[in-house]
């Protein structure tokens, strides 16, 4: 049986047309009529595939590739085997993504899980909910009272939309996602299994009555063009709102606590934990498994390396890392100093005698 594929296959395209689409230069114009039928990585590409190269780590794969054509920067152009047509591009991966988006637009945004183009008969929609024309609701989804959903939005299988939630146009709510106490803008992509708008972790601890729960009466505000990865949880605010700024991209399994404010165009990698009432500025990038303490402020343009623990404010455009996080130059110097001490202690025979 042929290997299954889940997305539309691209059309056969001549290299000359691909060069125009990617804004790359075909080094040998005589190969302009050569046909390409798909995209592939260096190690899996065949004569009918286009690939790319922009990292010397994969030089051996480039040397052995069987690809028909390769997008490559001028400085690596000479490394491409003679049988591979060269498409010269200043940023090869960006050019590769440009054609991938053109050929595989159906992979950019999920559609109905069941091929549904309207309201599934098994969906439960409160009569007071208002759905614009063109909304798709998949089977077993539940839409509560006074919900508003804009045209072009897809509500996935088994999703639950709580009372009063507002969702804009051209959004996608993944299967088994639960949303309450939230206002969501346009072009927002929420992957499956998210929980948005549940109450935050607010208690008065160890009182005479035990742990006394604090009412969480705020909301979640998600601005336009945000993407939320699968399994992510975003708590609603306690007194003020939890806010996710325009254009921010959140990876899978991220926890965002109550009252958190995230600026515009931030990048949050997988398994990050953001404690309550902290603030991220605009264009902040956080690596995977970063943990940030409550009430901390991360300045505009700051970056924090993966698996760091942040307990102090990070200045704008700061580069921090470690546990606890500090400026990366200082962190690296401390690591080197510790390694030097370890080497010196091994080289000291008196140290061995003392042990």
């Amino acid at each position: 049986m042929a290997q299954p594929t889940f997305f539309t296959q691209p059309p056969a395209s001549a290299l000359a047309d691909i060069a125009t689409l990617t804004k790359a230069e075909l080094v040998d114009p005589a190969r302009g009529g050569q046909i390409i039928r798909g995209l592939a990585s260096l190690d899996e590409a065949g004569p009918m595939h286009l690939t790319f190269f922009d990292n010397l780590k994969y030089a051996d794969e480039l040397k052995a590739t069987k690809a028909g054509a390769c997008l490559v920067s001028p400085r690596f152009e000479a490394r491409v085997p003679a049988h591979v047509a060269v498409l010269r591009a200043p940023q090869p991966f960006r050019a590769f993504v440009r054609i991938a988006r053109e050929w595989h637009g159906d992979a950019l945004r999920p559609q109905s899980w069941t091929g549904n183009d309207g309201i599934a008969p098994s969906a439960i929609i409160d009569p007071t909910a208002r759905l614009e024309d063109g909304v798709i609701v998949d089977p077993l989804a539940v839409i509560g009272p006074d919900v508003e959903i804009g045209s072009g939005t897809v509500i996935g299988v088994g999703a639950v939309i709580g009372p009063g939630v507002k969702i804009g146009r051209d959004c996608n709510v993944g299967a088994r996602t639960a949303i309450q106490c939230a206002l969501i803008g346009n072009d927002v992509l929420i992957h499956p299994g998210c929980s948005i708008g549940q109450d935050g972790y607010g208690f008065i601890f160890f009182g005479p009555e035990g742990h006394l729960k604090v009412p969480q009466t705020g909301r979640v505000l998600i601005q336009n063009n945000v993407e939320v990865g699968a399994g992510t949880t975003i708590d609603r605010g306690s007194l003020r709102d939890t806010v996710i700024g325009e254009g921010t991209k959140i990876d899978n399994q991220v926890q965002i606590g109550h009252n958190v404010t995230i600026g515009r165009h931030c990048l949050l990698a997988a398994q990050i934990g953001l404690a309550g009432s902290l603030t991220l500025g605009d264009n902040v990038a956080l690596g995977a498994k970063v943990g940030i303490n409550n009430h901390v402020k991360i300045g505009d343009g700051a970056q924090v390396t993966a698996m760091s623990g942040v307990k102090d404010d990070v200045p704008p455009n700061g580069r921090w890392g470690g546990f606890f996080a500090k400026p990366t130059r200082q962190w690296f110097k401390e690591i080197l100093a510790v390694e030097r001490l370890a080497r010196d202690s091994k080289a000291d025979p008196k140290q061995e005698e003392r042990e």
Side-chain angles (χ1 to χ4, degrees):
M1 185 178 74
Q3 290 294 320
T5 181
F6 298 99
F7 300 101
T8 302
Q9 293 302 291
S13 301
L15 275 179
D17 295 332
I18 291 173
T20 300
L21 180 61
T22 59
K23 300 181 180 179
E25 179 185 355
L26 181 59
V27 171
D28 182 1
R31 303 183 72 164
Q34 181 177 331
I35 297 299
I36 296 294
R37 296 184 183 276
L39 308 174
S41 59
L42 285 165
D43 59 332
E44 294 187 342
M48 306 298 287
H49 289 126
L50 172 69
T51 189
F52 74 97
F53 177 79
D54 66 352
N55 189 331
L56 283 175
K57 179 179 178 181
Y58 302 102
D60 289 343
E61 292 184 10
L62 175 64
K63 185 177 179 180
T65 190
K66 298 178 181 178
C70 181
L71 286 156
V72 63
S73 64
R75 70 186 184 121
F76 295 142
E77 181 181 327
R79 293 177 174 268
V80 180
H83 67 274
V84 180
V86 173
L87 289 162
R88 185 187 295 139
Q91 297 177 296
F93 184 57
R94 186 175 290 272
F96 187 82
V97 170
R98 185 179 293 120
I99 193 167
R101 289 175 61 90
E102 178 71 21
W103 284 357
H104 295 294
D106 56 335
L108 294 173
R109 179 174 175 234
Q111 298 301 310
S112 167
W113 286 58
T114 59
N116 189 34
D117 60 359
I119 310 298
S122 62
I124 299 173
I125 301 176
D126 189 275
T128 62
R130 288 167 286 183
L131 279 59
E132 290 186 339
D133 293 341
V135 172
I136 294 174
V137 183
D138 273 349
L140 306 178
V142 178
I143 297 176
D146 300 316
V147 168
E148 296 180 13
I149 301 176
S151 63
T153 290
V154 179
I155 307 298
V157 174
V160 180
I161 313 298
V165 168
K166 308 293 188 289
I167 300 174
R169 294 172 176 166
D170 298 314
C171 297
N172 190 285
V173 176
R176 297 176 290 100
T177 288
I179 302 176
Q180 61 185 131
C181 304
L183 304 179
I184 297 172
N186 300 322
D187 297 299
V188 173
L189 174 53
I190 301 170
H191 287 276
C194 293
S195 296
I196 297 173
Q198 285 67 51
D199 56 344
Y201 190 66
F203 297 89
I204 297 176
F205 297 112
F206 300 111
E209 302 173 358
H211 306 309
L212 190 62
K213 190 175 183 69
V214 178
Q216 308 285 293
T217 57
R219 307 170 297 181
V220 173
L221 307 182
I222 299 179
Q223 296 178 1
N224 296 341
N225 199 31
V226 168
E227 184 162 344
V228 181
T232 288
T233 56
I234 305 175
D235 295 341
R236 68 176 182 262
S238 54
L239 294 177
R240 62 186 181 89
D241 296 325
T242 300
V243 180
I244 314 296
E246 176 185 6
T248 285
K249 309 302 182 185
I250 301 169
D251 200 356
N252 299 339
Q253 297 181 331
V254 171
Q255 157 63 16
I256 299 173
H258 59 192
N259 305 330
V260 167
T261 298
I262 297 176
R264 297 178 177 180
H265 305 292
C266 293
L267 299 173
L268 280 65
Q271 298 184 339
I272 285 170
L274 303 183
S277 301
L278 63 82
T279 300
L280 305 185
D282 296 338
N283 301 300
V284 169
L286 305 179
K289 294 189 176 181
V290 165
I292 304 181
N293 201 13
N294 54 5
H295 302 286
V296 166
K297 293 183 179 180
I298 311 295
D300 293 350
Q303 297 180 8
V304 181
T305 59
M307 296 185 286
S308 297
V310 183
K311 67 179 181 62
D312 301 308
D313 292 351
V314 176
N317 300 310
R319 302 292 182 267
W320 282 40
F323 195 91
F324 287 105
K326 58 195 68 177
T328 51
R329 287 188 179 182
Q330 178 184 346
W331 177 39
F332 290 154
K333 287 179 180 178
E334 292 176 0
I335 291 173
L336 292 173
V338 171
E339 291 177 348
R340 192 180 305 114
L341 285 172
R343 287 195 303 269
D344 292 346
S345 66
K346 288 181 180 180
D348 182 2
K350 293 182 179 180
Q351 177 69 22
E352 293 182 1
E353 291 175 6
R354 287 193 293 269
E355 293 176 352

